[in-house]
Amino acid sequence: MDDSVDLAILAAISRDGRATLSQLSEAVGLSVSAVQSRLRRLETRGVISGYRAILDPELVGTPLSAFIEITPLDPAQPDNAPELLEHLTAIEACHSIAGDASYMLFVRVPSPRALEELVRDIRTAANVSTRTTVVLQTYYEHRPIIPVASDDA
């Protein structure tokens, strides 16, 4: 990414995914049609992979969040935990990590009892050991990704 206008468009929609074409046009100094064309190109290239609403976890009934590290019980077992856990909708994110554990899951659930049940389901479905860290308070998340110009130019 070394086009300064594309970078400005990406920065603007990263801050506000609901910005109108008119607002983006004003922010980057191009016509609405030029901004629309650039957005389509960025979407086609996969730079913009989607748009989504960010919900308040407490207001939708999942106020308890936690990080769960998982490690295979048998190091020789297939490395397919993400596929085995995909059906568990309380898992919001699954990251492959370096360190003692193989994956870090981020989960949201309604209650401590629901967390206990989810941990049991994870252990059973993927044949893993777990280490759970409960989130007490989140100060920020969903921060905008600020695009950086590439050094290749």
Side-chain angles (χ1 to χ4, degrees):
M1 292 297 315
D2 56 1
D3 181 301
S4 62
V5 175
D6 283 354
L7 291 173
I9 291 170
L10 291 171
I13 64 165
S14 183
R15 283 189 299 275
D16 180 6
R18 291 184 58 144
T20 65
L21 290 172
S22 179
Q23 290 168 325
L24 293 173
S25 169
E26 189 174 312
V28 301
L30 290 179
S31 69
V32 169
S33 62
V35 168
Q36 185 175 33
S37 173
R38 284 176 176 261
L39 277 174
R40 280 194 193 122
R41 190 180 77 242
L42 290 165
E43 291 166 353
T44 300
R45 289 178 44 210
V47 177
I48 300 171
S49 60
Y51 303 87
R52 70 180 196 137
I54 298 171
L55 308 179
D56 183 315
E58 290 195 30
L59 296 178
V60 298
T62 56
L64 180 61
S65 54
F67 293 95
I68 303 174
E69 295 178 6
I70 63 172
T71 307
L73 290 175
D74 176 5
Q77 75 187 54
D79 187 12
N80 60 349
E83 294 84 13
L84 295 173
L85 300 174
E86 195 168 19
H87 70 283
L88 298 172
T89 58
I91 301 173
E92 189 172 303
C94 175
H95 306 277
S96 176
I97 60 171
D100 294 333
S102 298
Y103 296 94
M104 176 75 73
L105 309 176
F106 180 71
V107 304
R108 291 190 195 272
V109 292
S111 66
R113 176 161 289 159
L115 179 59
E116 181 180 27
E117 291 170 5
L118 178 62
V119 168
R120 184 188 62 237
D121 292 345
I122 289 168
R123 289 177 180 160
T124 303
N127 194 32
V128 293
S129 65
T130 61
R131 180 171 176 240
T132 303
T133 303
V134 172
V135 175
L136 298 177
Q137 184 171 351
T138 300
Y139 291 98
Y140 48 83
E141 65 182 350
H142 308 296
R143 295 175 79 176
I145 296 173
I146 306 303
V148 207
S150 67
D151 294 332
D152 300 339

